[in-house]
Amino acid sequence: MRAASVSDYRELARRRLPNIFFEYIDGGSYAEVTLKRNVADLEALALRQRVMQDMSQLDMTVTTLGQTLAMPVGLAPVGMAGMYARRGETQAAKAAQAAGLPFVLSAMGICGAEEVTRAAGVPPWFQLYMLKDRGFMRELLGRMKALGCPVLVFTVDLPTPGARYRDLRSGFTGASGFSGWLNTTLDGLNHPAWLWDVGLHGRPHTLGSVASALQGGGRSVTDFLSWVAKSFDRSVTWKDLDWVRETWDGPIVIKGVLDVADAKDAVKAGAQGLIVSNHGGRQLDGVRSSISALPPIADAVGGDLEVYMDGGIRSGLDVLKAMARGAKAVFIGRAWAYALGAGGESTVARMLATLKSELAVAMILTGKAKLRDAGRDLLDT
């Protein structure tokens, strides 16, 4: 199969990956209503076609938080990416670096930030989850600062894991110890290419950046979400940003905002950016899509900090629609995870090239030569 779209990369990943890991990438929480809304609401937006404009020179670049991006796209944090391809976070980071885009390393990634930095040649943006062990958190923040990570992406919409039915059915959760090992092993035996690449040669299969905090829990992949539920700090409030600032003096982006009141609180707390996000439909099901939540948030706080969006981006057309509704840039999660699972770094690179090509076509046919000037006039209302 020759992939032409993100949906094609999804199918290739489904064929190559053990079911337990494909379902983890692909699934959402509860009945997956919000997951579907993220995609459907973007599809429902109509662009205005414009003709006879001078489109001989296109400029997709945007500058944000001191960095110039080749196009307004970043790779969002995706947990466990090292289970989709051998040392998967390093492969994705190299593809992003070659494309001139930021890579946000998940704190729950198989590869640690130091390994990713060595592989890509530049430190990643780093995703922060707040653990109960504040001594470890202080050490972790110090490590990321010393490494030179340019941005801290503080994910705030996971005080506890959402109810993800697909993970229960596949055995990703609820099957620990020998049962979990056996389930993963049998699943892997049915996917020999993955077993050779990841199962045998992609070790160690631990959470690289937070390995020293595991303390006997979460040692296997099937224990991952149960460890999260026990270790993540539900008591976190906006005041905790002051605590983070005691160690971290770089830009902080708040990820997981859907409400204007929360966006205003992010400004008051001194954040430099926020990502309008419902965690890809993986947390509270039944909430609104990211693209529908974006305009009022951009209107309310867009002059005070950088407003980004993730959730449902599957094409270059979606990137342009998000820009038109007020996003400075978008972050993609499943799109790069599918590509990584389908074929590693080279396939992620091809997927990013596809997004860029689709975005160029959309710019030309809407008469927008400079992407940073995109506004709501691009949408046919």
Side-chain angles (χ1 to χ4, degrees):
M1 177 180 179
R2 181 175 297 174
S5 66
V6 168
S7 62
D8 292 341
Y9 291 116
R10 176 186 179 275
E11 173 59 20
L12 290 174
R14 188 193 65 78
R15 297 179 188 180
R16 180 176 177 273
L17 295 178
N19 184 60
I20 187 173
F21 297 118
F22 176 75
E23 293 295 321
Y24 177 70
I25 294 173
D26 199 54
S29 64
Y30 296 91
E32 302 183 347
V33 172
T34 296
L35 187 158
K36 296 167 187 171
R37 280 180 185 162
N38 278 344
V39 175
D41 288 357
L42 274 162
E43 289 177 342
L45 291 175
L47 291 166
R48 290 179 63 201
Q49 178 173 299
R50 300 295 307 280
V51 298
M52 300 298 284
Q53 311 288 316
D54 182 0
M55 292 290 110
S56 57
Q57 299 292 326
L58 299 182
D59 184 357
M60 297 183 186
T61 61
V62 296
T63 300
T64 183
L65 299 181
Q67 299 181 49
T68 298
L69 315 185
M71 62 175 171
V73 175
L75 276 62
V78 173
M80 310 285 291
M83 301 307 297
Y84 317 149
R86 185 188 308 187
R87 314 312 290 166
E89 290 87 2
T90 66
Q91 295 198 52
K94 288 193 287 184
Q97 171 65 9
L101 308 176
F103 173 79
V104 186
L105 175 65
S106 171
M108 302 295 112
I110 298 297
C111 301
E114 292 83 359
E115 181 181 354
V116 170
T117 300
R118 289 193 299 271
V122 294
W125 293 23
F126 186 74
Q127 178 200 36
L128 177 73
Y129 285 118
M130 189 65 76
L131 304 182
K132 294 175 182 176
D133 185 343
R134 292 303 176 91
F136 174 77
M137 293 307 304
R138 186 174 288 109
E139 174 192 342
L140 178 66
L141 287 166
R143 281 169 48 203
M144 298 307 108
K145 178 181 177 181
L147 192 61
C149 294
V151 177
L152 189 70
V153 178
F154 189 0
T155 298
V156 297
D157 60 354
L158 206 157
T160 189
R164 302 174 190 173
Y165 296 158
R166 290 210 222 177
D167 291 342
L168 284 169
R169 294 173 184 136
S170 72
F172 191 88
T173 56
S176 60
F178 178 76
S179 174
W181 174 85
L182 183 63
N183 180 67
T184 305
T185 300
L186 292 176
D187 204 353
L189 289 173
N190 291 320
H191 298 82
W194 175 90
L195 184 63
W196 177 262
D197 180 46
V198 181
L200 297 178
H201 295 98
R203 295 180 180 275
H205 297 155
T206 186
L207 305 180
S209 293
V210 298
S212 62
L214 299 184
Q215 298 177 350
R219 292 187 182 275
S220 71
V221 293
T222 53
D223 291 329
F224 165 61
L225 288 180
S226 61
W227 176 80
V228 166
K230 290 183 290 187
S231 303
F232 281 26
D233 190 348
R234 301 185 193 182
S235 71
V236 174
T237 70
W238 292 107
K239 293 180 180 179
D240 286 285
L241 259 68
D242 293 335
W243 183 88
V244 171
R245 285 287 188 199
E246 293 176 6
T247 304
W248 179 268
D249 57 4
I252 296 177
V253 173
I254 304 297
K255 182 178 184 291
V257 175
L258 283 179
D259 192 277
V260 169
D262 288 335
K264 291 179 178 178
D265 284 341
V267 173
K268 293 175 185 176
Q272 282 68 50
L274 64 83
I275 302 177
V276 177
S277 172
N278 51 43
H279 216 98
R282 296 166 67 79
Q283 284 299 100
L284 180 61
D285 199 23
V287 297
R288 67 193 310 181
S289 65
S290 296
I291 192 64
S292 67
L294 173 62
I297 291 175
D299 289 343
V301 303
D304 300 310
L305 44 62
E306 301 284 53
V307 176
Y308 312 112
M309 191 206 88
D310 78 9
I313 301 294
R314 300 291 187 270
S315 70
L317 293 175
D318 293 337
V319 176
L320 184 62
K321 290 175 181 179
M323 297 284 287
R325 298 206 91 183
K328 184 67 174 284
V330 303
F331 286 84
I332 56 172
R334 286 185 178 88
W336 76 259
Y338 292 144
L340 183 70
E345 177 187 349
S346 62
T347 309
V348 176
R350 286 199 298 275
M351 183 276 298
L352 293 174
T354 297
L355 284 185
K356 190 170 187 178
S357 176
E358 292 170 341
L359 180 56
V361 171
M363 291 171 65
I364 292 169
L365 294 179
T366 56
K368 186 60 65 174
K370 292 184 179 180
L371 194 54
R372 57 182 171 271
D373 296 334
R376 293 179 197 173
D377 60 303
L378 287 178
L379 299 174
D380 189 342
T381 57

